[in-house]
Amino acid sequence: MSRIKEFNLPDLGEGLTEGEILAWLVKVGDVIELNQPIVEVETAKAAVEIPAKWAGQVRAIFHPEGSTIEVGTPIISIDTDPGAGPIEESTTGAPAADLPTPSAASLAAVDVAPAEGAVEPGLIGGPAPGGRTAVLVGYGPRTTAAKRRPRKGGVPAQASAPAAPAVQAPVAPVAPTAPVVAPSNGNGRVGGSVLAKPPVRKLAKDLGVDLGTLTGSGPLGSITREDVQRAAAAPAAAEPLTVTAPATAVASFGADREQRIPVKGVRRLTAENMSRSAFTAPHVTEFLTVDVTRAMKALDRLRGRREWRDVRVSPLLLVAKAVLLAVKRHPMVNSTWAGDEIVVKDYVNLGIAAATERGLIVPNIKDAGRLSLRELADAMTDLVQTAKTGKTSPADMSGGTLTITNVGVFGVDTGTPILPPGESAILAFGAVREMPWVHKGKVKPRHVTTLGLSFDHRIIDGELGSKFLRDIGDFLSDPEAALLAWT
C-alpha cells in the first residue's frame, strides 16, 4: 500500500458540491497529527476547518488559497510514514527529492514510446513502485520517455544496448509534436492564445481583467496572479490623477468607477434560497403593534435574580419563548409543504437570522421547545457568539422549521421577511421604542414594538396566521399572565 495519501475535499453536508479554500493551516514539509486542522474552507453555508485523515508529513498542496474546488478533488497529499526514508520514484532507487523538476522546455522534448511492447519501468507511463503509474502531476499517464538536452561540452550518457532501439526508433515520428510548446511573444501569448493557469483565469474573470491586455511576467511569458492583481489595482492607483483634470472634463461613468463583487459562498446560497422561496410559496405578511412595557419590566426583574446575573437576557429571548408557546397552541404553523401532503412537525428547530461579515446565515436551535427559559437563553447566546466568529457548522444551519429575524437591532420597526425554504412561517421582530400609547384611558409613554409575520398561504390561512400572531403579541404584552394561562 502506498504511503502517500491524497486527501480529497469532503462533502461537508447538505449535498454541497464545492468549496473555496480560505486559508491553508499547514505548509509543505510540516509534520501533522491525526485530526489536526489543515485547511479552512468556505462552503455555501459556513467557513469550516477540515481535519487531517492521517498523521504524517505534508508532501504537496495542490490548490492555492482562493481556489474554488469541487467536492472529491484532491487538495493535499500526506506521507503517512516519513520516517521510512526517501520515496523512490524509479527502479534505480533514486529518491524523488533528487529528481530535477521538469521545465517547460524539457516537456517539449518528450519522445513518444513505441506503441508495441511494454513501457520500461521508470519511464513516464511505465510502472513505478507500489503499482502506480509514473506520471507528471497535471499531465496524466502517457507512454512517453523523457530525455534531457545534452550539456555544452559534455558527453551524452550512453544507453544500454537493449534500450537503444526503444529510444531512437520514435525520433522521426515525434518531430511534428515539437511545436506543443510554441515560442512566446513576451506578451503572455503562444500561437495567438493567452498563457495563464486556470486559477489565474478565474481570478481575472472575478476582477474583470482582460488577460489579452496584459504582459506576462511568468515562465515563457505566462500571466501570473501578480500580473492580474496589478492590473486590477491600476485604476485605483491612477485615480488621484483625476484631481488635476480640467474643470471642463466630461464625467466618467465607465467600468473604472464600478466594483464587481463575485457572487459565491453564503451570498450565492442566500440568493438562490430567497429566489426559490419567493416564487414558490405564496407569501402573506401581517403586522401587529404591541405594548411590551410589562415584558421589559419582567426582563429587568429577571436580570436582578442571582442565578441570572451572568446570563445574556434580551427582548429577543422573550420573543423566542412567545413563539414556542404559540406553536404549541397552533401546531400547523410549524409544518412543511411536501407537494401531495403537509408535514406537521412535533419539534421546533428555531432559526435565528444573523447578519455576519460573510452574509446572512440562519442557524437554528434544535428542538427548542423542550428547553427551559434558562436553557433557551444559553443556547441563543452560544448561537450568536458562534455566528459572529464565523464558525457556525453546516449542521447548525440545516433542518430549521420556523425562524425569527431581529430587524430591530438595526433600528427598523419591522419588515416583510421571506420564508426560508421548507418553512411555513417567519417572524420579524422590530425595534422597541418609547412611544405615546393609550393605557388605562390615558396617553402615556410606553415601550412599543411592531411584529411582522410572513407565512405560506398554502398551509396557513388568514385565520390561523392571525391567531398565531395575536398569541405572540398577548405573551409580550403580559408574559406572567400568559404563562399562567397557557402552561
Side-chain angles (χ1 to χ4, degrees), residues 72 104 142 173 201 203 209 341 363 433 477:
R142 304 176 69 181
R201 293 180 183 273
L203 176 64
V209 175
E341 58 186 3
R433 304 181 186 278
S477 297

Side-chain angles (χ1 to χ4, degrees), residues 170-251:
V171 171
V174 168
T177 65
V180 170
V181 181
S184 169
N185 60 8
N187 192 34
R189 294 177 178 273
V190 174
S193 62
V194 177
L195 279 179
K197 296 180 179 180
V200 177
R201 293 180 183 273
K202 182 178 183 303
L203 176 64
K205 181 179 178 181
D206 292 342
L207 298 179
V209 175
D210 183 3
L211 292 177
T213 63
L214 304 186
T215 299
S217 61
L220 300 178
S222 62
I223 297 173
T224 65
R225 293 177 62 90
E226 291 73 17
D227 296 333
V228 174
Q229 291 168 347
R230 280 195 297 269
E239 191 172 339
L241 297 178
T242 60
V243 177
T244 60
T248 58
V250 179

